[in-house]
Amino acid sequence: MSVGIGMKRPAEAGRPAWVIPLAARIEALSLPLLSLLAGLAIFAVFLALQGRNPVDFYALVLKAGFGTAFSWSNTLARAAPLLFAALCVAIPARLGLVIIGGEGAIVLGGVATGGLAFHVAGLPPVVAMPLLALAAALTGATWIGLSGLLRQWRGVNETIASLLLAYIAIALMNHLVEGPLRDPASLNKPSTAPLEASLRVGEIPGWSVHWGLAVALGGCLIAWVLIERTTIGFAARIAGGNIRAAQVQGLPVGRLVVGFTALGGAFAGLAGYFEVSAVHGSANASLAAGYGYTGILIAFLARQNPLALIPVAILLAGFEASSGLVQRRMDLPDATMLVLQGFVFVALLVGDSFQGRLDLAGRLFPKER
């Protein structure tokens, strides 16, 4: 329908053109925040029903996770693998893919690091360390990229495929660490041979946090630029919004699916590399620490925005860092923080059901009469 002289365009007749995008941004920010607060409130009721004081609980969490310089160091060190794991979920999510098997890429990335360290020990650290990181990244990329291949070539649901592959990866890690790659000196806890001191990743000067955090932050920035400021990211957003429309336009949907899943897996593999080279010193069962599953919650709370992953990951890392103190002071079981994460995740799913239904544009700026 053409617009005649003196007539207002539809956007102008109802409300200013900038209102709807602004309302969408407000909704995208407010729903995850409200879901987080709702989850924390429900967990507070859960604690009260057990005879525990929720105020004391959250006070301990703040003190142990963010109250001192040591607390911040502990929290930031835990945030590094969580950021890598969240990127494994957030990057494929821009294509509408739900990858929940990042835990498998983390453990295999760690095994690749521990298993190859002996073979590169004679090389200069400036060569050997990048080789180990590359091996871990390629291992993670291959493992998660397999979910994309199965989705594209055989129509296998990527969520189920990545989850099942994670179980296989953990079993494979146990087999390798307890068998072919086991260090004979590791009697009580099967592990690969310890990394030489020259291959260990050090701390950021003045921070008491290993360099994995800086790499993870850089990864979030790179992922944001890729998705929001490149033609590849634009094509991925189109495919994520309507895959049929993307195919009609001739976009390489198959390559995007495999490439984005592999890229997410590469970041998860790097988490395994830093866990071995900066934290544990060898590959062992401690690699399966649940970072991959917490990364799912972080990605959903951040609405798959790579930059928003940073504050959310730090918050949840603080919760995990406070777990020990909370157990000792309040006599709570080991799985308390997992229960808290479960309540938050359920609240987030409920909040997602309101996506697009709040009509904030109509509430904030009613149409002209």
Side-chain angles (χ1 to χ4, degrees), residues 242-260:
N242 191 324
I243 193 168
R244 292 186 180 274
Q247 291 171 335
V248 169
Q249 293 296 322
L251 296 178
V253 175
R255 281 182 288 175
L256 288 172
V257 168
V258 176
F260 270 57

Side-chain angles (χ1 to χ4, degrees), residues 20-361:
I20 294 179
L22 176 62
R25 287 178 178 272
I26 294 175
E27 182 176 302
L29 291 172
S30 60
L31 277 179
L33 179 60
L34 291 175
S35 299
L36 174 62
L37 294 176
L40 296 178
I42 296 172
F43 185 73
V45 175
F46 174 77
L47 287 176
L49 292 176
Q50 296 186 81
R52 304 297 198 279
N53 189 330
V55 176
D56 292 341
F57 174 84
Y58 287 120
L60 283 175
V61 169
L62 289 175
K63 177 182 179 181
F66 310 99
T68 65
F70 175 79
S71 300
W72 270 104
S73 297
N74 193 14
T75 295
L76 292 176
R78 292 171 181 267
L82 292 180
L83 284 172
F84 285 123
L87 284 171
C88 184
V89 180
I91 293 174
R94 289 307 180 98
L95 281 163
L97 305 176
V98 182
I99 298 294
I100 62 174
E103 187 80 359
I106 293 174
V107 300
L108 288 185
V111 169
T113 303
L116 293 175
F118 174 78
H119 300 284
V120 301
L123 298 175
V126 70
V127 176
M129 295 176 73
L131 284 177
L132 291 177
L134 179 62
L138 289 177
T139 302
T142 301
W143 201 253
I144 301 299
L146 185 57
S147 300
L149 282 172
L150 291 172
R151 162 64 184 268
Q152 189 61 28
W153 288 355
R154 308 302 298 177
V156 178
N157 182 276
E158 75 283 351
T159 306
I160 297 175
S162 63
L163 180 61
L164 294 179
L165 284 170
Y167 286 113
I168 295 173
I170 293 173
L172 184 59
M173 181 266 294
N174 289 329
H175 166 71
L176 292 174
V177 169
E178 296 176 9
L181 299 180
R182 180 172 182 174
D183 178 19
S186 59
L187 301 177
N188 296 326
K189 187 174 186 179
S191 306
T192 60
L195 270 68
E196 291 187 354
S198 61
L199 299 181
R200 297 293 300 271
V201 174
E203 297 180 346
I204 303 173
W207 281 71
S208 299
V209 180
H210 63 77
W211 279 99
L213 177 64
V215 177
L217 294 175
C220 291
L221 179 60
I222 291 171
W224 182 84
V225 172
L226 173 68
I227 293 170
E228 301 293 343
R229 293 294 184 268
T230 66
T231 55
I232 296 176
F234 180 68
R237 295 200 305 273
I238 292 177
N242 191 324
I243 193 168
R244 292 186 180 274
Q247 291 171 335
V248 169
Q249 293 296 322
L251 296 178
V253 175
R255 281 182 288 175
L256 288 172
V257 168
V258 176
F260 270 57
T261 52
L263 179 60
F267 280 117
L270 284 175
Y273 165 73
F274 283 108
E275 283 298 289
V276 169
S277 63
V279 180
H280 302 298
S282 63
N284 51 56
S286 298
L287 286 170
Y291 289 128
Y293 303 115
T294 306
I296 302 169
L297 177 57
I298 293 170
F300 274 80
L301 277 172
R303 284 291 190 269
Q304 290 81 42
N305 184 316
L307 295 183
L309 296 177
I310 299 172
V312 178
I314 292 174
L315 176 64
L316 292 190
F319 286 170
E320 293 193 359
S322 65
S323 177
L325 181 63
V326 167
Q327 291 175 40
R328 294 191 300 271
R329 293 287 184 86
M330 301 192 69
D331 193 25
L332 289 169
D334 188 36
T336 299
M337 289 303 170
L338 294 178
V339 176
L340 172 59
Q341 291 180 15
F343 279 123
V344 172
F345 193 70
V346 171
L348 180 63
L349 294 178
V350 174
D352 274 348
S353 66
F354 292 96
Q355 186 74 28
R357 299 183 180 182
L358 298 180
D359 189 24
L360 290 181

